[in-house]
Amino acid sequence: MALFQCDYFSNVLGLSTGMTVILPNNGQAGADGFPTMYLLHGLSDDHTIWLRRTSIERYAEEYGIAVVMPNGHRSFYTDMKDGFPYWKFISEEVPALARAWFPLSTEREDNFAAGLSMGGYGAFKLAMRRPDMYAAGASLSGALDMVTRWGPDDDFWNAENRRIFGSVEELRGSDDDLLHVAERLAASGGEIPKLFQSCGTEDFLYEMNLGFRDHARELGLDLVYEEAPGGHDWAYWDTHIQRVLEWLPLRKK
């Protein structure tokens, strides 16, 4: 695999940011370009963390897939109420720039989103809101129901939620409420991405993940759900990102 660390100016955000990209080393991109997984980080990390805490470069090599890891800061990959337009950044600018700089496929069947925690939320949001672009989305330990993350005794978290989403009333039923997005997707009659969800049974987001799983199943979405002993930590994510790569519906070339 070949590794690229990109520092660049985002016109959407109006600031300098970074992107880490892994490309297959055999140089055989094919006529459509390399299949690509956009791999998103969690709340307290950045675009370098997957490379630093897992063997994602080694794992991806087996599948001949490119991996694009952008920096989403603490945005929940959302056009923030008080902040920056990170949804437009992640859904439009990041893939456009990555495809301009690297031989990446633009075909829906070759594009996938994945992530952990906040990134699991972002990956499912990409897959479910842009099913025209992504054939599949994978969430590890995802924060998949942000409506429930408001707490009466957690002033810091509630203040951060307000900066990102506005009020809980504004979030509920919006494009950033994944349960609502799932309902709309199921009723759309259009393309439906495959979804993969995994969470550790000792994770503090475990009950939230069960709730999303049950909601998606009731809607009839194409969801594979797996769980295993583990917490909200890199030991779990390093193991289960391998399962994500194994599950991805990669096309035979």
Side-chain angles (χ1 to χ4, degrees):
M1 303 294 280
L3 174 66
F4 299 85
Q5 298 284 4
C6 306
D7 300 306
Y8 65 99
F9 185 83
S10 164
N11 289 317
V12 167
L13 300 178
L15 52 79
S16 293
T17 187
M19 177 192 302
T20 301
V21 178
I22 301 169
L23 292 184
N25 203 34
N26 59 18
Q28 302 300 313
D32 297 328
F34 289 117
T36 307
M37 179 171 67
Y38 292 84
L39 185 58
L40 308 183
H41 64 78
L43 183 67
S44 60
D45 292 314
D46 65 13
H47 59 293
T48 68
I49 196 66
W50 276 102
L51 199 70
R52 291 160 51 206
R53 294 297 187 94
T54 76
S55 293
I56 185 61
E57 184 175 5
R58 180 163 56 88
Y59 302 151
E61 183 175 16
E62 178 180 350
Y63 297 91
I65 189 172
V67 183
V68 175
M69 294 166 278
N71 194 344
H73 296 100
R74 295 179 68 92
S75 68
F76 272 85
Y77 306 98
T78 295
D79 287 344
M80 303 168 70
K81 290 292 183 180
D82 182 14
F84 299 92
Y86 273 94
W87 170 250
K88 183 176 182 181
F89 168 74
I90 199 70
S91 65
E92 297 180 18
E93 188 178 42
V94 165
L97 289 176
R99 290 165 177 174
W101 296 334
F102 302 104
L104 307 179
S105 175
T106 61
E107 296 296 317
R108 175 186 183 270
E109 292 75 15
D110 292 330
N111 280 272
F112 318 100
L116 67 88
S117 195
M118 179 186 82
Y121 166 91
F124 269 12
K125 186 157 69 170
L126 277 173
M128 293 195 298
R129 284 181 60 178
R130 293 305 308 268
D132 58 313
M133 287 182 63
Y134 296 95
S139 167
L140 300 179
S141 311
L144 301 178
D145 184 3
M146 292 307 297
V147 171
T148 67
R149 288 295 290 152
W150 260 264
D153 301 317
D154 193 338
D155 292 341
F156 175 82
W157 184 250
N158 290 344
E160 184 156 50
N161 281 342
R162 285 192 293 271
R163 285 194 296 272
I164 297 168
F165 301 109
S167 67
V168 66
E169 291 78 17
E170 289 175 286
L171 172 59
R172 186 181 289 111
S174 74
D175 284 346
D176 299 312
D177 176 357
L178 292 191
L179 272 66
H180 170 72
V181 173
E183 293 168 4
R184 188 176 63 198
L185 176 67
S188 68
E191 297 273 18
I192 304 291
K194 297 179 182 297
L195 300 176
F196 178 94
Q197 182 187 355
S198 178
C199 190
T201 52
E202 288 70 54
D203 196 305
F204 74 97
L205 296 178
Y206 178 64
E207 294 298 327
M208 180 188 293
N209 274 263
L210 293 182
F212 184 91
R213 176 201 67 185
D214 294 345
H215 187 67
R217 285 178 173 174
E218 288 173 5
L219 294 170
L221 295 181
D222 186 355
L223 173 73
V224 171
Y225 174 83
E226 297 181 0
E227 62 180 51
H232 204 75
D233 56 48
W234 284 102
Y236 191 88
W237 302 324
D238 182 56
T239 297
H240 291 275
I241 191 61
Q242 298 174 66
R243 178 70 184 104
V244 170
L245 287 164
E246 181 183 70
W247 167 83
L248 285 178
L250 292 168
R251 293 195 293 174
K252 301 293 185 182
K253 297 294 186 179

